[in-house]
Amino acid sequence: MLDLEEMEKRLNRHYNFWDKRFEGEGAYFAIMAPDETALDKYPPIKPPGSLEQKWFDIDYRLEENNQKLNTTYFAGDAVPIANIDFGSGILASFLGSEYKLAEDTIWYDAKPIISDWNDLPKLSLLKDSEIYKKFIGITKSFCEASQGRYITSITDVGANMDVLASLRGRENLLMDLIVEPDEVKRFLFRIDQFWKEVFDENIKILSRYKRTFTSWVPIVNQKTWYPLLSEFSTMISPTMFEDIVFPAIQREADYLDQALFNLDGEDQVKYLSILLRLEGLHSIEWDPVPKYSPKFNKVIKDFSSETSIEVYKQIQSCGKKLVIREVIPEQIKPILNNISPDGVFFVVNCSNRKEADEFLTFSRKWTKYGR
């Protein structure tokens, strides 16, 4: 992967991103590609024998992580990160919602537990449950095995509104927002307390090994942070979002040193002006829906579309930084022809080492490495 000296240099770049500097800061480029030169030494591992092994077997997950990181080429500002992935919104399961294992994720809305607002379940964190023990055990095991070679991520705990959607059921919750909005607001406060407890437990484990924090968004910070989001909110109006969802997001942001918001697709752009008022907001990650692009002749997230450019301009005009993840090299120039490179963190996917090295050379015109 990286030697420890190079790792620290790159981590310092990440810390710079979280600072307040802006004008003249330049862009950041975390460039990754498959490392074809490492496959002989680290061949693909044996597929898991079951979904339970894939998600819950500590030895399998450690072996999978080792193979993945050792066969990835990290260039520019990229650092090796072990993503402790249990799907999105694991907190719902810690509170009693049934989960369903799938090949690419874990679903936490298999059987909602809130059927009547007049007969609410007595919620508590089920710390003796299998999935809670696996969350703790796998996080600890990854930290112990890292030895400074990679950064272990915070688990995707979930957002308070999305967790409630799993506990109540999406269709029921949509109706509740119309007929029982006060009940929804009160219950979100209850979820907040559990969210904080699980987040703190995660931070406590990570801090024992190295006080650096990251997530599925591969940027590292010495301060506590989390990618805030609200997937459920794509189905509601801006007025309802501002009245019910925004205050819930603000409470999560208030608990962090710094916050990033994951703006999830074109259906959430209508909330952008509201989200930019979020106190403690450091940056926004724009995450367009993958679509077929005639220009590139493949399915991609179109980060250089007119909609994307307008999103970037609105974010930068409010003094917030910008994260663009899973972008391909061909999209960079059209983006930076239209916006300032200052404070933009790109996570760039290349096809191979040669393309990654060529793109790194190409990208330097927009960076201020200071090395």
Side-chain angles (χ1 to χ4, degrees), residues 60-157:
Y60 173 79
R61 293 200 60 165
L62 285 170
E63 184 182 7
E64 179 189 42
N65 177 68
N66 187 58
Q67 196 275 340
K68 178 181 179 181
L69 294 184
N70 279 297
T71 56
T72 299
Y73 181 54
F74 298 95
D77 298 314
V79 297
I81 289 171
N83 183 17
I84 306 301
D85 180 18
F86 286 100
S88 180
I90 195 172
L91 177 58
S93 182
F94 296 165
L95 297 175
S97 177
E98 291 186 13
Y99 60 86
K100 182 178 180 181
L101 304 180
E103 190 63 37
D104 298 322
T105 191
I106 303 178
W107 299 102
Y108 296 107
D109 55 357
K111 189 177 179 180
I113 62 173
I114 300 174
S115 57
D116 187 341
W117 289 111
N118 294 314
D119 186 23
L120 293 172
K122 294 181 180 179
L123 294 186
S124 63
L125 277 181
L126 304 178
K127 294 187 177 183
D128 290 331
S129 64
E130 178 189 26
I131 195 166
Y132 192 91
K133 290 178 180 178
K134 292 299 183 183
F135 149 67
I136 296 295
I138 288 176
T139 301
K140 287 181 177 179
S141 296
F142 270 67
C143 288
E144 291 167 359
S146 67
Q147 298 181 337
R149 297 176 302 119
Y150 59 79
I151 306 298
T152 303
S153 80
I154 295 170
T155 301
D156 182 357
V157 179

Side-chain angles (χ1 to χ4, degrees), residues 12-42:
N12 284 330
R13 288 275 297 161
H14 286 236
Y15 306 154
N16 287 342
F17 171 76
W18 292 104
D19 285 343
K20 294 181 180 179
R21 293 186 311 115
F22 235 121
E23 188 174 351
E25 181 177 358
Y28 303 78
F29 292 94
I31 305 164
M32 289 171 280
D35 188 352
E36 59 276 13
T37 67
L39 287 174
D40 288 341
K41 187 175 181 181
Y42 300 98

Side-chain angles (χ1 to χ4, degrees), residues 187-241:
F187 205 85
L188 285 171
F189 276 97
R190 294 182 64 185
I191 291 175
D192 287 344
Q193 302 309 308
F194 297 115
W195 187 92
K196 292 174 184 177
E197 188 174 345
V198 174
F199 182 82
D200 283 347
E201 183 64 29
N202 217 159
I203 294 297
K204 181 180 176 182
I205 295 170
L206 298 174
S207 296
R208 290 175 191 158
Y209 300 90
K210 187 176 179 67
R211 190 170 174 79
T212 52
F213 309 113
T214 188
S215 71
W216 71 90
V217 180
I219 310 177
V220 183
N221 195 353
Q222 291 177 304
K223 299 178 181 179
T224 62
W225 74 286
Y226 186 78
L228 303 176
L229 73 161
S230 180
E231 295 179 352
F232 174 83
S233 68
T234 59
M235 297 180 282
I236 64 177
S237 70
T239 300
M240 196 172 283
F241 178 88

